[in-house]
Amino acid sequence: MYDLLKTTMTMTMKVANCIGGYVLLTVLTLSVVKARDPAVHDNFLKCLKQNTETASEELSKIVFAQNNPSFTTVLQNLARNKRFKTPMTPKPLLIVTPLVESHVQGAVMCAKTAKLQMRIRSGGHDYEGISYVSKEPFMILDMSKLNAITIDVKEEVAVVQAGATTGELYYRIWEKSKVHGFSAAVCPTVGLGGHISGGGYGNMLRSFGLTVDNVIDAKIVDVKGNLLDKKGMGEDLFWAIRGGGGASFGVVVSFTIKLLPVPEKVTIFRTEKSWDDKTADFVLGWQKIASVTDKRLFMRLVLQAEGKTLKATIVALFLGGADEVVSLMGKEFPVLGLKKENCSEVSWIESVLWWNDPKSLENGEKAEILLDRKPNNSGFLKRKSDFIKKSISKEGWETIFESIVELGKTGIILNPYGGRMDEIAPDATPFPHRKGNMFKVQYTVNWVDPSVEADRNYTKQVKKLFNVMTPYVSKNPRGAFFCYRDIDIGLNSFGQNSYKEGKVYGTKYFKSNFDRLVKIKTAVDPQNFFRNEQSIPVLSAANASTHSFYISFQGKF
């Protein structure tokens, strides 16, 4: 899969047949990289020293070659999906863990000189391992140590470096204010560099939109090694990295975000229902109101097999009091049967802990646990995504229920849209799935068996459920969520058909915004240094003349 497109597919054949300031950078000629070439590390280190003016002793602590005793630990610490932690998974020749911005600038220049492909990893929550695996000779730029967070409550802004996690951001906000938060992932170990730049979301998206809807500035290192802020990079590039994925355009170093107001007390509740003749009515009731109710209410629906039956679970956050949401649900969703005793009024930071672990509050967990970067052991996993634009009939839901129970391990998570998501134009950012979308769907399967047979079996399961959902989801194109990377929907070999290959997956992720992303990519990285299997392609000079949109775009940078 991905390069388990090379790794897993190869394995399967054998077995079975996710500022302004500029630095004057000098370039040191490095030899073309060969696997385990002992000179690679030394030459890269020399190049980095000349391009950062940092002492060799300090740099030697942030550059890891394969023979370094810490190499495997550094590599695997942030590799979340065990499918890309196997002995057969291709390994980088080097890992660089920058401590300051100039280290990023130098690493870009030295990777180009060494002819090393660069993979950029901020947190490792990458469903297809694209940020840390490649079939070409490559290095990983591990941003995890660039994780500073500066909170300005008076101005209601924060500057967040790319290697910070959502948990660290939430904790640092809570340290300074009990009435502010941010709209991002519910999992606290997600790295913000990839999450924000991909258009990440959380349980406050109906109130405040996506991460990218609350970004007001950024810093990026471009292909020339320049460190640019919003003014320096220009509006087009700033637009592109807010939902188009930063790794196609450069290395995002930090984002400046708006802090968002939250009540001193919010309400959380969780309702579970086992499958019976009333379950379809329960889900139909949720479907009717989840995307159109008060924008302060976010109700996630999880459908998962439990033995030979189905469990439907609603997990909710309301930015208000329990009495108000109970009254609201009594009017809009009486089948839910919500009562005040089913609800808990908690601080916003406590709701963050609860969404990550429903037992956290009863176990007395403190907010400091959000600083722990060690993820839950999720084992092996596969994810896919969809968007639902029209209500599904009762018969349709029954078909979905039966498929989930029959498959056994694969479930779906449905996240309601509406509210603020309806108020933002589809081209305001590269993320286009706005008004007209009722729900986003995530297909999810996890397993622990490391065998190739298990990988094949469970990935087949999730594809089956994906196929079952075909009549009920968006079409022409069938949409997909960029932060839920899925190599099944298309790959780019970056040959003569690069634009056409890119358009296959690009229009699913970005719809009509894809062509604007291509224009920007072609202008800022014409040699396509920043690339991966699903990055934004570059129009070649030979092909550009056939694209009127490219001609009209020339001269804007």
Side-chain angles (χ1 to χ4, degrees), residues 60-71:
S60 64
K61 297 176 183 177
I62 67 166
V63 180
F64 301 85
Q66 291 183 357
N67 61 357
N68 188 307
S70 299
F71 177 87

Side-chain angles (χ1 to χ4, degrees), residues 297-316:
L297 177 60
F298 179 86
M299 292 191 295
R300 168 178 284 177
L301 175 67
V302 182
L303 300 175
Q304 186 75 47
E306 190 175 67
K308 297 297 182 181
T309 188
L310 178 105
K311 182 170 71 174
T313 305
I314 289 176
V315 188

